[in-house]
Amino acid sequence: MARGRPVHALSQLDPARTAFVGIDMQCAFTSAGQVFANPHALDILDNVNRLARACRVAGGSVWWTRQTVDDHDPRHADPHWLRLAGDASVATAKAALRAGSDGHALHPGIKVRPGDAVIDKFRYSAFLPGFCDLHTRLQETGVDTLVIAGTLTNCCCESSARDAFMLGYRVLFAADATAAVSDEEHNAALLNLAVMFADVRRTDDIVALLAR
């Protein structure tokens, strides 16, 4: 991580131009028995909420994404899912991420507050043009810095952080407010991000930076 630190380290933030992005803290990924259940997702719940609260208090904005499946909208239908449409396990997975399903909802422990935004995304990255309007909406409010947390570390969180960096955002990535299925996957993603794409920090550090 030391290799990336001189390039990506952020010593100060402008809270008004900072957004917290909580990636896919949905029941499908966080609740036991769900099709995509991540055994470590509930471990980060408190830190995810802490970061969102710290961003609100500092004057920043808070955004929650939901991974969404929509087979009927040609703009959003995922060809990966469509190729596997005949697989029974895929049908179960798709059903868990359709709007209105129990799995699609944010975990009840996530503290969404008035003023927060909850938006759907139709690919892993929240910054892929045409499949989520997060980038457009952030640009309308002048945001240039992101705090990213959620699940999975090495899938939707990492994809979003990489794309956000390439779009010109300064990215803070919360090492202890993101979760993968295994420590190996989690740590590999953090290493990739720290070297090339983001300032990877712990929740305490990010909260302190927001409070300055």
Side-chain angles (χ1 to χ4, degrees), residues 28-212:
F29 302 106
T30 58
S31 298
Q34 284 279 350
V35 63
F36 296 115
N38 174 355
H40 304 293
L42 291 184
D43 296 339
I44 65 170
L45 200 61
D46 287 346
N47 281 343
V48 170
N49 284 326
R50 282 183 64 205
L51 288 167
R53 182 172 61 251
C55 201
R56 290 188 205 100
V57 169
S61 56
V62 173
W63 305 75
W64 305 98
T65 73
R66 297 180 300 200
Q67 186 68 27
T68 305
V69 168
D70 185 348
D71 294 333
H72 305 294
D73 185 341
R75 299 169 301 168
H76 294 149
D78 188 334
H80 171 69
W81 290 118
L82 295 176
R83 284 196 300 270
L84 301 173
D87 188 303
S89 63
V90 170
T92 301
K94 291 167 68 174
L97 293 175
R98 287 196 177 96
S101 69
D102 291 342
H104 186 257
L106 294 176
H107 188 278
I110 289 295
K111 294 179 170 58
V112 180
R113 296 295 187 239
D116 294 359
V118 180
I119 61 174
D120 293 336
K121 64 182 181 65
F122 298 87
R123 295 294 188 272
Y124 294 151
S125 172
F127 291 91
L128 194 62
F131 299 103
C132 185
D133 62 358
L134 180 58
H135 174 55
T136 299
R137 293 173 66 178
L138 291 176
Q139 290 298 288
E140 290 172 351
T141 59
V143 166
D144 65 6
T145 303
L146 306 176
V147 176
I148 291 180
T151 189
L152 289 165
T153 313
N154 58 319
C155 188
C156 294
C157 296
E158 182 176 7
S159 297
S160 297
R162 285 170 175 254
D163 285 348
F165 173 80
M166 296 307 295
L167 286 169
Y169 292 95
R170 305 191 307 166
V171 180
L172 279 159
F173 196 91
D176 57 350
T178 48
V181 174
S182 70
D183 287 344
E184 291 81 5
E185 291 167 277
H186 179 71
N187 291 330
L190 294 182
L191 177 60
N192 285 336
L193 289 164
V195 171
M196 299 298 296
F197 300 101
D199 188 354
V200 177
R201 298 203 186 194
R202 297 181 65 82
T203 296
D204 286 346
D205 297 334
I206 298 173
V207 168
L209 196 57
L210 284 164
R212 286 181 188 171

